[in-house]
Amino acid sequence: MKDITRIESLADLDQYIAAQGYSQCLILVDSNTREHCLPALVGSSDALNRSEVIEVEPGESSKSAEIVAGIWNAMIDLHADRQTCLICLGGGMITDLGGFIASTFKRGIPYIYVPTTLLAMVDAAIGGKTGINIGHYKNQAGTFARPEAIVQDPSWLSSLPHRELRSGFAEMIKHGLVADSAHLNELLRIETVTVENTTSYIRRSAEIKEAIVAQDPHETGVRKVLNFGHTAGHAFEALSHALNAPLLHGEAIAIGMHLALGLSVKHSGLAEKTAIEVMNYLTKHFAIDFTALRKQYPTGDLWSFMLADKKNHRGEVRFVLLKSLGTPVIDCAISMADFDAIYQSAR
Amino acid sequence: MKDITRIESLADLDQYIAAQGYSQCLILVDSNTREHCLPALVGSSDALNRSEVIEVEPGESSKSAEIVAGIWNAMIDLHADRQTCLICLGGGMITDLGGFIASTFKRGIPYIYVPTTLLAMVDAAIGGKTGINIGHYKNQAGTFARPEAIVQDPSWLSSLPHRELRSGFAEMIKHGLVADSAHLNELLRIETVTVENTTSYIRRSAEIKEAIVAQDPHETGVRKVLNFGHTAGHAFEALSHALNAPLLHGEAIAIGMHLALGLSVKHSGLAEKTAIEVMNYLTKHFAIDFTALRKQYPTGDLWSFMLADKKNHRGEVRFVLLKSLGTPVIDCAISMADFDAIYQSAR
């Protein structure tokens, strides 16, 4: 795999771009990052100050084939060539979408991620996967591709709403659960997530993901552990959008991790006491109300989505479970009845 | 690069599929290959006889983002998973389109090319590039990706119209021009292209392309020689569709090669006598009428298309030219005036 350049500040990004000899830079934003983040980005850089800006609506609905086609067309109109660099300024939606567009436009042009959310910094911008949605099915189309550089500047986080910050925190907890119980225990000591008490853990959490990805860039084996909590989590997330009451990604993943911990006790030997401790933390911290969820999200609806998920085949639904904290087991086939039993008793 | 399995007959394809353990096969066809080729394919194979068929209209207009999105959706509805294999039965349009769809669906599922035209056998199905069009601009989006297997069965060619056969023959001539003057001289002895007098050269022509691609899978250097004739050729091809008088790919490339030979005499030292011999062959063999072309395709229109082509940057148009037969030079910057001078005098 090619190396990705780590850039620590916007001033360093300006120097990096000046050294690359790009024919031009284009900046992909959503209307939120255009308002809140773009001024700081273009203010820091002569090159970016002259760049054309491509804007999409915020939210998952922009990760569509139609939006991709529209932006490809816009790039042709802007005379983008193979030496054009696409700067992706935003959260995971923008990095997933921009990475897909850049990795397929003229069969791949350079692109740089400037993640502006905690979730994107510790997860979405790392790992060399791009993705768009097919209908309500998340990331069902995409590429394995890596940006030239990632800008990891925590100063963006201070303007982030608390729910967004907590959403990123869920993925940090996941990294601890599947690979580093010490990291997990540090995080579980945090009572309320703030920029101050998470910043120092960002680098470690990103490193855990990078190390797993480096072992398995094309997701054929060990990397599947990163899907812990995502099999059910994606189903909740997708259905929440269909219900017009969208859960943030990390909020859905927190629910999915809770259920995967329950399944782990039953099916992969995780100690019950350990599981309950983490499950209680998740329930409290993410204010999960399983009684309400069971009414809004019937098992059958969730199961239909899970069957269509790209990690499953031959009609089974396969979960990542845990043997113990930090020790995952991939490809655990679970039946709808098994899942329902855990879901009905969750609290 | 992973190896691509060569399959010589449909019977061998059936055995190959049976050994792979795919969850299912889906077959991508256009309405022509559905009628003329699908019966032989499914008749030869139990597995394929049960496969769902996805049909698109013939022609370049099917290589669009809208069609890609429609097929991705259909594949979700057909419960395609990561072990689903997409069989691409057709010419270069089907292999370019199907390869793009398969290499991006769930970030890449297995796919097999069954090329049914000479052009696809010697060119489109070889080389690990997929592509779709953005508006009238050909292959402006795509991936570098390779099929699991290619079926090279010349028995398909007997039902191919003569124009289609000749279109594929143009790419064989190109392989000779850029890499093997002995191959070229064998081909120039052919007065009228038939299945009989081309079949024995298919393997050599495909091998020339494979050898070039193997040196440069991501088209950063030497592989550009395969674009000989394509810079202007693509412009004629694209404009011919806009004019509703479509040229076949090889017909457009024959025009483009003629002009590139003329430019080579002026700009890269190709001997005039040698160039004229090949140019005369192309004019006669492909019935090129430059007087008519100059009326239908003004220089300015061609140049605008060439400027948008993915091989050009910073406003220049770069051609592959020849120093001598078999010895190409890449990245030759040509001005509109240089191009126009050659175009106006071509015959």
Side-chain angles (χ1 to χ4, degrees):
Chain A
M1 289 196 299
K2 73 177 179 191
D3 280 342
I4 300 174
T5 302
R6 301 272 146 195
I7 296 173
E8 307 263 324
S9 73
L10 293 182
D12 292 349
L13 174 62
D14 186 45
Q15 287 194 344
Y16 177 85
I17 288 172
Q20 300 307 306
Y22 298 131
S23 59
Q24 65 172 323
C25 291
L26 302 173
I27 306 173
L28 179 67
V29 296
D30 62 32
S31 52
N32 289 334
T33 57
R34 178 168 214 154
E35 184 182 344
H36 299 295
C37 305
L38 186 65
L41 181 72
V42 301
S44 72
S45 164
D46 283 348
L48 297 181
N49 203 19
R50 295 188 303 271
S51 296
E52 297 282 345
V53 175
I54 299 169
E55 180 182 322
V56 298
E57 288 299 302
E60 279 292 310
S61 59
S62 284
K63 281 174 62 176
S64 72
E66 292 69 28
I67 297 287
V68 169
I71 295 177
W72 279 339
N73 270 300
M75 290 169 75
I76 293 275
D77 291 342
L78 293 168
H79 303 290
D81 60 23
R82 285 183 173 177
Q83 282 72 38
T84 295
C85 181
L86 185 67
I87 312 284
C88 306
L89 178 70
M93 183 279 280
I94 287 290
T95 57
D96 281 357
L97 173 67
F100 182 72
I101 289 167
S103 66
T104 52
F105 186 76
K106 296 178 193 264
R107 297 195 187 92
I109 62 169
Y111 58 103
I112 294 174
Y113 285 158
V114 188
T116 58
T117 67
L118 182 60
L119 183 62
M121 283 181 200
V122 299
D123 187 21
I126 296 166
K129 296 200 299 188
T130 75
I132 61 170
N133 304 332
I134 303 180
H136 289 302
Y137 298 100
K138 268 182 73 77
N139 296 327
Q140 295 290 299
T143 54
F144 290 105
R146 289 157 67 87
E148 302 295 304
I150 297 179
V151 181
Q152 294 277 21
D153 185 340
S155 66
W156 298 115
L157 301 181
S158 52
S159 64
L160 212 62
H162 178 258
R163 267 184 78 193
E164 293 282 351
L165 203 64
R166 194 179 61 171
S167 175
F169 190 68
E171 292 287 357
M172 295 171 73
I173 291 176
K174 183 197 74 182
H175 292 156
L177 281 168
V178 300
D180 187 340
S181 59
H183 184 59
L184 177 69
N185 287 327
E186 289 171 333
L187 299 176
L188 294 185
R189 279 199 286 274
I190 294 175
E191 296 210 357
T192 306
V193 173
T194 64
V195 176
E196 292 66 36
N197 63 21
T198 51
T199 299
S200 60
Y201 301 115
I202 291 174
R203 173 172 284 268
R204 174 67 195 141
S205 211
E207 282 170 356
I208 292 172
K209 174 152 185 186
E210 280 164 32
I212 293 168
V213 167
Q215 291 173 61
D216 178 21
H218 289 167
E219 200 167 18
T220 54
V222 62
R223 180 183 178 141
K224 292 182 186 171
V225 303
L226 293 169
N227 293 324
F228 183 77
H230 282 57
T231 306
H234 273 163
F236 280 99
E237 187 177 5
L239 287 175
S240 78
H241 286 270
L243 292 169
N244 265 324
L247 292 166
L248 296 182
H249 178 70
E251 292 171 339
I253 295 319
I255 299 166
M257 290 195 290
H258 191 297
L259 296 171
L261 286 162
L263 287 165
S264 296
V265 173
K266 197 90 175 275
H267 298 278
S268 62
L270 179 65
E272 188 166 15
K273 183 167 171 293
T274 308
I276 287 175
E277 190 193 346
V278 183
M279 287 153 80
N280 286 345
Y281 182 87
L282 292 170
T283 300
K284 182 177 165 213
H285 200 88
F286 289 87
I288 305 173
D289 178 351
F290 276 105
T291 308
L293 289 176
R294 282 185 286 265
K295 282 185 195 146
Q296 286 181 285
Y297 301 88
T299 300
D301 293 2
L302 294 167
W303 198 254
S304 297
F305 266 90
M306 285 189 260
L307 276 175
D309 190 272
K310 62 189 171 303
K311 285 102 198 169
N312 303 302
H313 62 121
R314 297 175 194 278
E316 293 171 344
V317 174
R318 293 171 172 221
F319 283 71
V320 180
L321 300 180
L322 299 181
K323 270 195 271 200
S324 63
L325 298 185
T327 312
V329 200
I330 62 173
D331 287 335
C332 301
I334 296 293
S335 71
M336 182 166 140
D338 292 335
F339 174 78
D340 188 56
I342 295 297
Y343 184 39
Q344 294 306 326
S345 62
R347 60 198 171 89
Chain B
M1 290 196 299
K2 73 178 178 190
D3 280 343
I4 298 173
T5 303
R6 301 272 145 195
I7 296 173
E8 308 263 326
S9 73
L10 293 181
D12 291 348
L13 175 62
D14 187 44
Q15 288 194 345
Y16 176 85
I17 288 171
Q20 300 308 306
Y22 298 132
S23 59
Q24 65 172 323
C25 290
L26 302 174
I27 306 174
L28 179 67
V29 295
D30 62 33
S31 51
N32 289 334
T33 57
R34 179 168 214 154
E35 184 181 345
H36 299 294
C37 305
L38 187 66
L41 181 74
V42 301
S44 73
S45 165
D46 284 348
L48 298 182
N49 204 18
R50 294 189 304 271
S51 295
E52 298 283 345
V53 176
I54 300 169
E55 181 183 321
V56 298
E57 288 300 303
E60 280 291 310
S61 59
S62 284
K63 282 174 62 176
S64 72
E66 293 67 30
I67 296 286
V68 168
I71 295 177
W72 280 339
N73 269 300
M75 291 169 75
I76 292 274
D77 291 343
L78 293 167
H79 303 291
D81 60 24
R82 285 183 171 176
Q83 282 72 40
T84 294
C85 181
L86 185 67
I87 312 285
C88 306
L89 178 71
M93 182 279 280
I94 288 290
T95 57
D96 281 357
L97 173 67
F100 182 72
I101 289 167
S103 66
T104 51
F105 186 75
K106 296 177 192 267
R107 298 196 187 89
I109 62 169
Y111 58 104
I112 293 175
Y113 285 158
V114 188
T116 58
T117 67
L118 182 58
L119 183 64
M121 282 181 200
V122 299
D123 188 22
I126 296 165
K129 297 201 297 188
T130 75
I132 61 170
N133 304 333
I134 303 180
H136 289 300
Y137 298 101
K138 268 184 71 77
N139 297 327
Q140 295 289 299
T143 53
F144 291 104
R146 288 157 67 87
E148 302 295 307
I150 297 179
V151 181
Q152 294 277 22
D153 186 341
S155 66
W156 298 114
L157 301 180
S158 53
S159 64
L160 211 61
H162 177 257
R163 267 184 79 192
E164 292 281 352
L165 204 61
R166 195 180 60 169
S167 175
F169 189 68
E171 293 286 359
M172 296 171 72
I173 290 176
K174 184 197 74 182
H175 292 155
L177 282 168
V178 300
D180 186 340
S181 58
H183 184 58
L184 177 69
N185 287 327
E186 289 172 332
L187 300 177
L188 294 185
R189 281 199 285 273
I190 294 174
E191 297 209 359
T192 305
V193 173
T194 64
V195 176
E196 292 66 36
N197 63 21
T198 51
T199 299
S200 60
Y201 302 116
I202 291 175
R203 173 173 284 268
R204 174 67 195 141
S205 211
E207 282 170 356
I208 292 172
K209 174 153 185 183
E210 280 165 32
I212 293 169
V213 167
Q215 291 174 60
D216 179 20
H218 289 166
E219 201 169 17
T220 53
V222 62
R223 180 183 179 143
K224 291 182 187 172
V225 304
L226 293 168
N227 293 325
F228 183 77
H230 282 58
T231 304
H234 273 163
F236 280 100
E237 187 177 7
L239 287 175
S240 78
H241 286 270
L243 292 170
N244 266 325
L247 293 165
L248 295 182
H249 178 70
E251 293 170 339
I253 294 319
I255 300 167
M257 289 194 293
H258 191 296
L259 296 172
L261 286 162
L263 287 167
S264 296
V265 173
K266 196 91 176 274
H267 298 279
S268 62
L270 180 65
E272 188 167 16
K273 182 169 172 293
T274 308
I276 287 174
E277 189 193 345
V278 184
M279 287 153 79
N280 286 345
Y281 182 87
L282 293 170
T283 300
K284 182 178 166 212
H285 200 89
F286 288 89
I288 304 174
D289 178 350
F290 275 106
T291 309
L293 289 176
R294 282 185 286 264
K295 283 184 194 145
Q296 286 181 285
Y297 302 88
T299 301
D301 293 3
L302 295 166
W303 198 255
S304 298
F305 267 90
M306 286 189 257
L307 276 176
D309 191 272
K310 62 189 172 303
K311 285 100 196 169
N312 303 301
H313 63 118
R314 297 178 193 277
E316 295 170 342
V317 175
R318 293 170 173 223
F319 282 71
V320 180
L321 300 179
L322 299 182
K323 269 194 272 200
S324 63
L325 298 184
T327 313
V329 199
I330 61 173
D331 288 336
C332 301
I334 296 292
S335 71
M336 182 166 141
D338 292 335
F339 175 77
D340 188 56
I342 295 297
Y343 185 38
Q344 294 307 327
S345 63
R347 57 198 174 90

